Amino acid sequence: MTVHKQTASLNWDDLRIFLELARTGSLSAAARALRISHATVGRRVAALEEGLGRRLVERRADGYGLTADGEAVFALADGMDERALAILRQASSQGGREAGLTGTVRLTTTPALADRFLMPRLGPFRARHPGIDLEVMVDNRSLSLARREADIAIRLARPQHGDLIARRLATMGYGLFTAAGAPDAVIGYDEALADLPEAVWLARHMVGRRVAFRSNSLQTQLAAAKAGFGVALLPFWLAAGEPDLMPVPGEAPPLEREVWLVLHPDLRDVPRVRAVIEHLVVLFTAEFAAAPDRQNCQFAGTQA
């Protein structure tokens, strides 16, 4: 690829946004990952193309693809963002140790855990650490810790890739719940989540039952159960506080899912991050203390 314009003034942010668009193939997906608007993604990629004097992406039926020049730029730039982010994490780690218990900690988790479990229990943390600002990003997707989309993640599966510290916080048990007088129907997940462990369990043990309601939201399924649509598979901790619901006895083997706390090793010694971790461990230990044999608080890989 021949570049006719001077590249010494190449804007790194434009290149970083181009890399995300190249990886995701979608303006909206790149915007979500970078936490900017999709219009900004399009504008910054266009600015990069203008600066290089080459068209890098093209609109296709299934999203955005790379032109030949785009492939060449991607091959040269791929990995640059990871190295730059490693520098930022190192600087953040050093700055965090110097700042102590002040600054922002970004936490990501699922909507149900954020709204129904964490938020009612975070008041004592705020009182104890008034200098720490929490930013909670509610998302069913696994945001990238390596790209600093979050500092800490609470996930329902152990990460299989990446240099991450993972700690099992608890094991959540699930049961079937319904409202009085509700029909013998199932409240399930939409087809996009057919591979989710909860959806697989329902498909295996509720064979032949009508699915009267579907949703990709656990809290919406809870609301549907309370509204009388049928039987929902819910975590015990979530259903326990709902007087309108009652457990449904059955002989099917129970479903359990592990809750994992995940962070990047570069942030393990940052005081404000450690403070959040310690509070989260206390919360989950207290909630699931009734089943101590299910608790495994050892770290996988690097110890924190």
Side-chain angles (χ1 to χ4, degrees):
M1 181 187 70
T2 303
V3 177
H4 298 292
K5 296 192 175 185
Q6 183 180 3
T7 58
S9 60
L10 180 68
N11 188 303
W12 160 245
D13 280 337
D14 292 347
L15 187 60
R16 178 174 62 92
I17 292 170
F18 161 74
L19 288 171
E20 195 63 41
L21 178 60
R23 291 174 180 135
T24 62
S26 163
L27 285 177
S28 58
R32 285 194 301 269
L34 296 168
R35 303 173 64 213
I36 57 178
S37 70
H38 69 277
T40 300
V41 173
R43 185 173 65 253
R44 299 298 286 272
V45 171
L48 178 64
E49 290 179 322
E50 182 179 356
L52 294 177
R54 289 290 181 270
R55 189 179 180 191
L56 304 179
V57 299
E58 58 185 4
R59 185 69 181 268
R60 298 174 182 172
D62 58 347
Y64 283 81
L66 297 179
T67 65
D69 285 333
E71 294 282 2
V73 171
F74 183 81
L76 291 170
D78 187 27
M80 289 175 59
D81 54 341
E82 295 295 338
R83 291 189 290 273
L85 288 169
I87 294 172
L88 289 174
R89 285 195 303 269
Q90 180 64 29
S92 176
S93 174
Q94 181 62 35
R97 285 191 289 269
E98 295 171 353
L101 297 175
T102 60
T104 300
V105 177
R106 291 169 293 177
L107 169 68
T108 180
T109 188
T110 65
L113 280 173
D115 296 343
R116 299 296 297 270
F117 185 83
L118 289 179
M119 293 314 302
R121 296 168 171 85
L122 287 178
F125 176 84
R126 179 63 178 176
R128 189 178 302 115
H129 301 296
I132 298 178
D133 299 323
L134 280 179
E135 184 176 338
V136 179
M137 291 164 287
V138 177
D139 206 317
N140 283 316
R141 299 176 303 125
S142 293
L143 301 184
S144 174
L145 301 181
R147 297 180 189 173
R148 302 188 73 213
E149 294 177 5
D151 299 319
I152 302 170
I154 299 177
R155 298 175 179 169
L156 298 185
R158 180 177 180 175
Q160 300 299 315
H161 307 286
D163 181 22
L164 300 172
I165 295 175
R167 175 173 185 167
R168 187 162 65 182
L169 291 173
T171 300
M172 296 194 310
Y174 284 69
L176 295 171
F177 293 86
T178 190
D184 187 29
V186 177
I187 296 170
Y189 291 83
D190 59 27
E191 294 300 323
L193 297 177
D195 294 332
L196 201 68
E198 292 92 325
V200 172
W201 191 96
L202 287 170
R204 183 175 302 161
H205 300 292
M206 301 284 110
V207 178
R209 300 271 287 273
R210 174 191 172 195
V211 181
F213 187 94
R214 297 180 186 271
S215 175
N216 63 352
S217 164
L218 185 60
Q219 295 194 84
T220 302
Q221 292 185 21
L222 170 67
K226 294 169 63 176
F229 277 88
V231 177
L233 181 64
L234 302 170
F236 288 120
W237 67 263
L238 181 61
E242 299 294 341
D244 296 335
L245 295 181
M246 56 186 180
V248 178
E251 298 180 356
L255 173 70
E256 294 182 338
R257 294 204 67 182
E258 295 176 340
V259 183
W260 289 83
L261 185 149
V262 187
L263 74 154
H264 198 280
D266 289 348
L267 300 178
R268 60 186 294 181
D269 295 323
V270 176
R272 64 178 183 272
V273 175
R274 293 292 308 186
V276 175
I277 291 172
E278 290 167 5
H279 188 76
L280 293 174
V281 170
V282 169
L283 292 186
F284 280 91
T285 300
E287 177 68 28
F288 296 93
D293 57 310
R294 294 180 180 178
Q295 305 306 307
N296 183 341
C297 293
Q298 294 184 353
F299 278 80
T302 309
Q303 298 293 312

